[in-house]
């Protein structure tokens, strides 16, 4: 899955609708999408920096059909050069020093790790646990493609979705 701060409105809508349906919670998808889109301002405003690594599979996992996926790939191509973003993509064929762990984010001053579970989130603040996540991120970063290599992977995915026989 694409990180929320890089999602298009259409992609986020599909994801949040799936969550509502799966968990059986009240449908507040429009409000959730609006909040997610508002939070994306951090990519263009302020002195924030985000180092994001996606698995190449995220570019091919069908979230909402070809039109949604084309828009999402276009968005990544547009944002990849933002000064606030370092976007790495782990190629499907990359040889990694460690298998990818469940998705996580490192926040604050690098002292909090957030892991999204099926039904909730978990914040990890234990120093030794946080250090392991930093180590894992560094190993994943070594296997990721950046710059022109990442753009090439995005263009391949863009081409795939442009030619996709899948229906909406």
């Amino acid at each position: 899955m694409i990180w929320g701060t890089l999602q298009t409105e259409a992609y986020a809508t599909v994801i949040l609708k799936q969550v509502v349906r799966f968990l059986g919670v009240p449908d507040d998808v429009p409000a959730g999408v609006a909040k997610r889109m508002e939070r994306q301002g951090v990519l263009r405003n302020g002195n924030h920096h985000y180092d994001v690594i996606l698995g190449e599979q995220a570019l091919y996992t069908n979230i909402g059909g070809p039109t949604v996926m084309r828009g999402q790939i276009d968005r990544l191509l547009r944002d990849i050069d933002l000064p606030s973003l370092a976007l790495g993509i782990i190629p499907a064929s990359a040889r990694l020093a460690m298998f990818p762990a469940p998705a996580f984010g490192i926040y604050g001053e690098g002292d909090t790790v957030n892991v999204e579970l099926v039904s909730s989130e978990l914040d990890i603040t234990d120093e030794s646990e946080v250090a392991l996540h930093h180590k894992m991120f560094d190993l994943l970063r070594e296997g990721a493609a950046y710059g022109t290599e990442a753009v090439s992977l995005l263009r391949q995915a863009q081409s795939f979705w442009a030619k996709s026989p899948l229906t909406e």
Side-chain angles (χ1 to χ4, degrees), residues 51-111:
D51 196 345
V52 178
I53 299 174
L54 302 174
E56 184 179 9
Q57 180 59 42
L59 307 177
Y60 294 93
T61 299
N62 188 351
I63 303 295
T67 300
V68 171
M69 292 306 298
R70 281 192 302 270
Q72 184 59 63
I73 302 300
D74 290 348
R75 163 74 190 274
L76 294 173
L77 282 164
R78 186 187 76 221
D79 288 355
I80 197 167
D81 291 325
L82 287 173
S84 62
L85 179 64
L87 178 59
I89 300 171
I90 299 174
S93 61
R95 185 172 181 144
L96 299 175
M98 182 66 177
F99 64 89
F104 62 92
I106 302 172
Y107 297 96
E109 301 298 317
D111 57 357

Side-chain angles (χ1 to χ4, degrees), residues 1-22:
M1 182 170 71
I2 307 297
W3 179 49
T5 304
L6 294 175
Q7 292 176 1
T8 63
E9 189 172 334
Y11 188 99
T13 298
V14 173
I15 292 291
L16 294 179
K17 281 182 178 180
Q18 290 175 346
V19 170
V20 164
R21 190 172 43 254
F22 179 76

Side-chain angles (χ1 to χ4, degrees), residues 99-163:
F99 64 89
F104 62 92
I106 302 172
Y107 297 96
E109 301 298 317
D111 57 357
T112 303
V113 173
N114 179 269
V115 180
E116 288 190 27
L117 304 172
V118 171
S119 61
S120 62
E121 294 182 23
L122 174 66
D123 283 334
I124 300 169
T125 57
D126 177 80
E127 197 172 304
S128 63
E129 291 287 323
V130 170
L132 285 174
H133 283 83
H134 278 278
K135 183 177 179 180
M136 173 64 78
F137 191 84
D138 290 342
L139 290 174
L140 294 174
R141 185 186 294 138
E142 289 175 10
Y146 288 88
T148 57
E149 291 178 59
V151 168
S152 177
L153 291 170
L154 288 165
R155 295 266 183 235
Q156 288 172 32
Q158 186 181 47
S159 177
F160 171 83
W161 289 110
K163 298 173 186 171

